[in-house]
């Protein structure tokens, strides 16, 4: 495997492109928005500079990583020579199904098609392609260059051979892949999202404040950040979308999203990316300040 196409150059796409390129793969990074591609290249450059400062890479590695990445706004051009596609476009079912239908006709017959989706069924994505046996989930964690886990999700029709290839490839990237089956939320979000939802319910019901809830989980459970801060980091809209998938997929009321989360998303208080969520964020400041609403 040499040519990797990464689709979507947002938070996850730029990290996935960075990781493959740093490991010597030729990366075609595709986004419908040219400005998103430019922002991604800037983010990758900044992150490589941070790695140089830390002493984990040198200037030559930065140069070769950047040289390994080409950007495209046309899917056909960016995906036609792919050995592997890793789709990391917006978490929207229609967008993903449409992309995978197009990839079916654009990519060579043996190209493996992977999705970084957090919650959409790999089996459903595979079913719209002409190669369901070669469709798989490759769920990287944010920030991709730093986080070790890749949750490798087998769709109903994914073969052992394709799974083995992706497990090995993930290991070659220096990651620790874990194989799981395709059920709502897979493993990571099936466990994480109910915890975040319960933290939001605890706030909603007045059990404790934002700081108190996050402090209990940080100091009591040795989590590096509390669930409310983590929700802001992930994006409250993303958390809500995943909880809705769990709720619908299992038909169990225990996954129903907390009304406070629904309200915050409706109001556009989406977390870090909106500058406000459970905390408020000032550009350039690392201080964690509880949002006025919860202060
Ligand atoms: N953010 C996280 O912490 C996280 C973690 C794991 C997995 N994921 C998953 O990764 C995927 C991407 O999430 P993100 O947070 O990077 O989103 P994002 O909003 O930061 O970026 C998505 C990008 O996809 C682009 N896009 C939309 N439609 C497209 C299309 N048809 N073709 C090409 N590009 C298109 C958008 O222009 C945007 O730049 C989602 O499936 C999400 O569930 C996110």
């Amino acid at each position: 495997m040499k040519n990797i196409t990464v689709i979507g150059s947002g938070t996850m796409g730029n990290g996935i492109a960075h990781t493959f390129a740093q490991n010597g793969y030729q990366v075609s990074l595709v986004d419908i928005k040219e400005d998103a591609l430019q922002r991604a290249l800037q983010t990758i450059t900044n992150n490589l500079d941070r790695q140089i400062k830390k002493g984990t890479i040198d200037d030559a590695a930065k140069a070769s990583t950047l040289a390994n990445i080409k950007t495209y706004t046309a899917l056909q051009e960016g995906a036609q020579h792919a050995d592997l596609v890793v789709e990391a476009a917006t978490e929207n079912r229609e967008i993903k199904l449409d992309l995978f239908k197009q990839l079916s006709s654009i990519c060579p017959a043996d190209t493996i098609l992977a999705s970084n989706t957090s919650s959409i069924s790999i089996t459903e994505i595979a079913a719209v392609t002409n190669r369901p046996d070669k469709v798989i989930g490759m769920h990287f964690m944010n920030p991709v260059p730093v986080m070790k886990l890749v949750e490798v999700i087998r769709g109903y029709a994914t073969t052992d051979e394709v799974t083995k290839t992706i497990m090995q490839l993930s290991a070659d990237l220096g990651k620790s892949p874990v194989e799981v089956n395709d059920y709502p939320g897979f493993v990571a979000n099936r466990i994480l999202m109910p915890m975040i939802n319960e933290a939001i319910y605890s706030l909603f019901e007045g059990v404790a404040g934002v700081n108190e809830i996050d402090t209990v989980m940080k100091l009591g459970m040795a989590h590096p950040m509390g669930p409310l801060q983590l929700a802001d980091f992930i994006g409250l809209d993303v958390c809500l979308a995943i909880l809705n998938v769990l709720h619908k997929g299992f038909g169990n009321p225990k996954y129903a999203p907390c009304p406070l989360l629904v309200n915050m998303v409706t109001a556009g208080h989406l977390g870090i990316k909106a500058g406000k969520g459970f905390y408020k964020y000032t550009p350039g400041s690392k201080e964690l300040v509880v949002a006025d609403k919860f202060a």
Side-chain angles (χ1 to χ4, degrees):
M1 251 189 221
K2 206 177 76 193
N3 296 321
I4 312 294
T5 294
V6 178
I7 301 177
S9 67
T11 313
M12 296 304 286
N14 82 61
I16 296 167
H18 175 154
T19 302
F20 276 106
Q22 195 179 327
N23 283 279
Y25 295 89
Q26 298 300 312
V27 175
S28 301
L29 182 56
V30 181
D31 202 291
I32 40 173
K33 294 187 188 147
E34 179 59 37
D35 61 328
L37 289 167
Q38 292 315 317
R39 264 201 314 277
L41 288 179
Q42 193 52 56
T43 303
I44 294 169
T45 306
N46 296 344
N47 290 339
L48 288 165
D49 284 337
R50 195 169 310 137
Q51 287 173 287
I52 292 177
K53 258 197 204 147
K54 274 197 201 156
T56 52
I57 62 165
D58 58 16
D59 288 333
K62 173 185 168 186
S64 69
T65 301
L66 290 173
N68 284 344
I69 304 174
K70 293 200 170 51
T71 61
Y72 300 86
T73 49
L75 185 64
Q76 165 84 32
E77 272 179 63
Q80 62 189 347
H81 301 302
D83 299 314
L84 166 71
V85 173
V86 183
E87 173 277 318
T90 311
E91 184 77 345
N92 172 296
R93 191 172 156 271
E94 278 64 43
I95 290 178
K96 293 199 195 279
L97 296 186
D98 177 53
L99 272 169
F100 277 79
K101 262 186 222 156
Q102 292 188 58
L103 289 168
S104 274
S105 55
I106 292 172
C107 297
D110 56 353
T111 305
I112 295 178
L113 305 178
S115 176
N116 184 53
T117 179
S118 305
S119 62
I120 297 166
S121 160
I122 299 299
T123 305
E124 187 181 4
I125 291 174
V128 302
T129 72
N130 55 1
R131 64 194 82 185
D133 54 320
K134 296 191 184 69
V135 177
I136 193 161
M138 229 180 153
H139 188 204
F140 289 89
M141 304 291 131
N142 184 20
V144 181
V146 177
M147 296 290 280
K148 283 279 177 204
L149 179 68
V150 182
E151 199 179 19
V152 174
I153 304 127
R154 287 184 75 127
Y156 197 79
T158 314
T159 60
D160 289 345
E161 192 192 340
V162 166
T163 307
K164 225 164 135 189
T165 303
I166 294 302
M167 292 290 285
Q168 184 58 53
L169 177 72
S170 305
D172 292 345
L173 292 172
K175 303 295 185 198
S176 303
V178 175
E179 184 184 325
V180 309
N181 287 315
D182 181 29
Y183 289 98
F186 319 132
V187 170
N189 283 315
R190 181 174 179 164
I191 296 172
L192 175 64
M193 287 302 155
M195 182 188 75
I196 286 177
N197 201 35
E198 209 53 40
I200 301 172
Y201 262 115
S202 303
L203 178 68
F204 178 60
E205 292 172 359
V207 179
V210 169
N211 260 331
E212 289 73 16
I213 291 168
D214 274 357
T215 303
V216 166
M217 296 306 284
K218 273 191 290 189
L219 301 187
M221 319 299 156
H223 289 189
M225 66 172 82
L228 299 174
Q229 188 188 356
L230 181 57
D232 275 0
F233 186 69
I234 294 168
L236 300 194
D237 51 339
V238 177
C239 294
L240 178 59
I242 299 171
L243 280 162
N244 282 332
V245 167
L246 291 170
H247 191 202
K248 185 160 171 256
F250 290 114
N252 187 330
K254 78 176 177 180
Y255 298 110
C258 176
L260 173 59
L261 173 65
V262 177
N263 262 358
M264 290 176 76
V265 172
T266 307
H269 293 219
L270 306 180
I272 291 182
K273 64 185 163 191
K276 59 197 167 195
F278 295 105
Y279 296 88
K280 58 180 172 189
Y281 303 90
T282 319
S285 164
K286 287 217 165 108
E287 203 193 343
L288 203 54
V289 183
V290 173
D292 297 340
K293 194 95 184 157
F294 307 114

